Amino acid sequence: MHVGPVTIDYDVLIEGMKGDVGFTSKEFVDAFQYSLKSLRKIMGAQENSQPFIIPGGGTSAMESVTSLLRKDDKILVISNGVFGDRWEKILSRYPVHVKTIRAKPGDYVTPDDIEKEVSKEHYNMVTMTHVETSTGIREPIYEVSKKIRNYVDLIVVDGVSSVSAEEVKMDNIDVFLTASQKAIGTPPGAGLLVLSENAVSRLSDNSIAGYYLNLKNWIDVMKSMEEGRAAYFSTLPVHLILMITKAFKLIEKEGIENRIRRHEKVAAAIRTGIEGMGLSIVAKHPEAYSNTVTGVIVNKVNPSEVLKEIVNEGIELAPGVHPDLAGKYFRIGHMGWVNENDAISTIAALERVLSRLGEPIRLGEGVRSTQLYLSKGNISNL
């Protein structure tokens, strides 16, 4: 129950256990073609959009966005936490002007505040984080993008902790990106992103991008592969892409809507259990609860001790990484192939561990609350 890399389905893992699949082989080209087409569907993108799967991870996908920027462009970063701040850290290395609007821990920057800022000054790009992994906060990106569409050139969304677990659609959005090791449910090693037609038109030799993560160097490979023809710029993570293909097939079989509902149900069950045992959640507003990450605040115990002890119960959680909440919380990841039994196991193990460590909780009430939620659908109706 980590925030990523997540537990991986065995059928997905087995796809990567092949000894001699070349990057120009028909097997690989077919797999890559399927994955590119599937990525476009999962992102809710138009047919004229361009999908990319590049080596690296979420951060490589983020940095590749410099392919769309030119010297002295102005970027507005919307940050709800550590990974929102990462946009600032990446872009500040380049010859562009960056301004950041930050929310306090557990909160989010409101659509009205963002609209107010972009109406005062023209920005070439606005970046947002759909689900802030450090706090579990979900930004209302669709409301924001609708409000600011006519003010800015490019709207970019980090969906590293949202894609295939939250509703994702590219309406009014120019770049939607993610990573392989999160809700898609495969090992780390790939950055996945889709560019709108508007974004593709910004690719040029005048961008500030470097070489390896310059999407202009990758686009012909992506187009060729999607047409079923092998192409090369730099070696792709062959075996990982075979696993991504299998994951996309499993997602297609489950149905993306069903997958999102499953994540929503498991997330709500876990939060109900946390609150049932008497603990608080980092996210302050229910409308900003995410389907993939929940931050849990403890009052007495050291959260690092909780993580250490719960591993002995067979469950791995994630440490809190927001500096303003250091020593006050830990995180539960609930994404990928998680199910209702995972929610029950997590809450049960947490109760045992917290009780042993001396955290004041209502022992047994967390499991009871979770069970009631899962059996009835909504505990408030009981």
Side-chain angles (χ1 to χ4, degrees), residues 128-324:
M128 295 183 283
T129 308
H130 195 186
V131 172
E132 173 52 59
T133 317
S134 67
T135 58
I137 292 289
R138 181 177 61 206
E139 176 73 30
I141 58 171
Y142 304 115
E143 184 181 350
V144 174
S145 59
K146 186 175 181 180
K147 281 179 175 288
I148 71 172
R149 178 68 278 179
N150 293 330
Y151 292 103
V152 302
D153 300 332
L154 295 165
I155 299 173
V156 178
V157 174
D158 164 4
V160 168
S161 287
S162 71
V163 172
S164 94
E166 301 274 4
E167 181 185 22
V168 171
K169 54 186 179 182
M170 287 193 64
D171 297 353
N172 295 315
I173 293 170
D174 294 294
V175 181
F176 220 122
L177 63 90
T178 191
S180 56
Q181 77 275 15
K182 299 284 189 173
I184 289 173
T186 60
L192 303 89
L193 61 164
V194 177
L195 272 59
S196 70
E197 188 175 23
N198 176 45
V200 170
S201 71
R202 297 272 301 188
L203 295 174
S204 79
D205 291 329
N206 296 322
S207 80
I208 59 172
Y211 184 70
Y212 189 56
L213 296 178
N214 190 334
L215 296 178
K216 190 173 186 295
N217 290 333
W218 285 102
I219 190 167
D220 288 343
V221 175
M222 301 300 140
K223 288 181 175 180
S224 181
M225 287 288 203
E226 191 170 2
E227 292 170 357
R229 294 179 289 105
Y232 174 81
F233 164 61
S234 181
T235 303
L236 289 159
V238 173
H239 294 79
L240 174 56
I241 287 167
L242 296 177
M243 289 186 271
I244 290 171
T245 300
K246 181 63 176 181
F248 280 156
K249 288 179 179 178
L250 292 176
I251 292 170
E252 183 178 29
K253 182 178 179 180
E254 181 179 14
I256 190 63
E257 294 83 6
N258 294 331
R259 189 177 184 84
I260 292 168
R261 281 195 293 268
R262 171 169 59 78
H263 278 83
E264 184 177 19
K265 187 174 185 179
V266 171
I270 287 174
R271 286 193 296 268
T272 300
I274 294 298
E275 292 172 337
M277 71 175 79
L279 295 180
S280 300
I281 292 166
V282 171
K284 297 176 180 178
H285 309 287
E287 76 273 12
Y289 290 166
S290 78
N291 290 348
T292 56
V293 181
T294 297
V296 181
I297 298 173
V298 288
N299 302 303
K300 183 179 179 181
V301 304
N302 186 329
S304 64
E305 287 299 309
V306 177
L307 301 186
K308 180 180 177 181
E309 288 296 320
I310 202 166
V311 167
N312 297 325
E313 302 285 340
I315 293 175
E316 183 183 11
L317 304 179
V321 295
H322 199 298
D324 292 349

Side-chain angles (χ1 to χ4, degrees), residues 18-178:
K18 297 180 178 179
D20 57 351
V21 180
F23 66 84
T24 62
S25 67
K26 186 177 187 303
E27 180 178 7
F28 177 66
V29 173
D30 288 349
F32 203 83
Q33 179 184 51
Y34 179 87
S35 289
L36 289 170
K37 290 178 180 294
S38 297
L39 179 60
R40 186 185 287 110
K41 291 178 184 177
I42 287 172
M43 292 291 198
Q46 300 293 324
E47 281 299 317
N48 61 0
S49 64
Q50 180 59 56
F52 291 80
I53 301 176
I54 61 174
T59 304
S60 66
M62 292 170 74
E63 188 150 3
S64 75
V65 170
T66 57
S67 307
L68 311 176
L69 295 172
R70 296 173 177 84
K71 185 179 179 181
D72 291 327
D73 275 355
K74 294 181 179 180
I75 302 100
L76 180 66
V77 172
I78 308 303
S79 177
N80 296 328
V82 171
F83 293 96
D85 288 350
R86 180 163 293 191
W87 278 115
E88 181 184 61
K89 291 177 180 179
I90 291 170
L91 295 170
S92 294
R93 303 291 297 180
Y94 293 85
V96 292
H97 306 283
V98 182
K99 181 174 182 177
T100 303
I101 303 179
R102 288 185 177 86
K104 293 180 179 179
D107 217 329
Y108 63 93
V109 182
T110 68
D112 287 343
D113 285 344
I114 300 169
E115 183 181 26
K116 182 179 179 180
E117 176 61 32
V118 298
S119 66
K120 293 189 302 184
E121 184 174 358
H122 177 73
Y123 289 93
N124 302 100
M125 178 184 289
V126 172
T127 69
M128 295 183 283
T129 308
H130 195 186
V131 172
E132 173 52 59
T133 317
S134 67
T135 58
I137 292 289
R138 181 177 61 206
E139 176 73 30
I141 58 171
Y142 304 115
E143 184 181 350
V144 174
S145 59
K146 186 175 181 180
K147 281 179 175 288
I148 71 172
R149 178 68 278 179
N150 293 330
Y151 292 103
V152 302
D153 300 332
L154 295 165
I155 299 173
V156 178
V157 174
D158 164 4
V160 168
S161 287
S162 71
V163 172
S164 94
E166 301 274 4
E167 181 185 22
V168 171
K169 54 186 179 182
M170 287 193 64
D171 297 353
N172 295 315
I173 293 170
D174 294 294
V175 181
F176 220 122
L177 63 90
T178 191

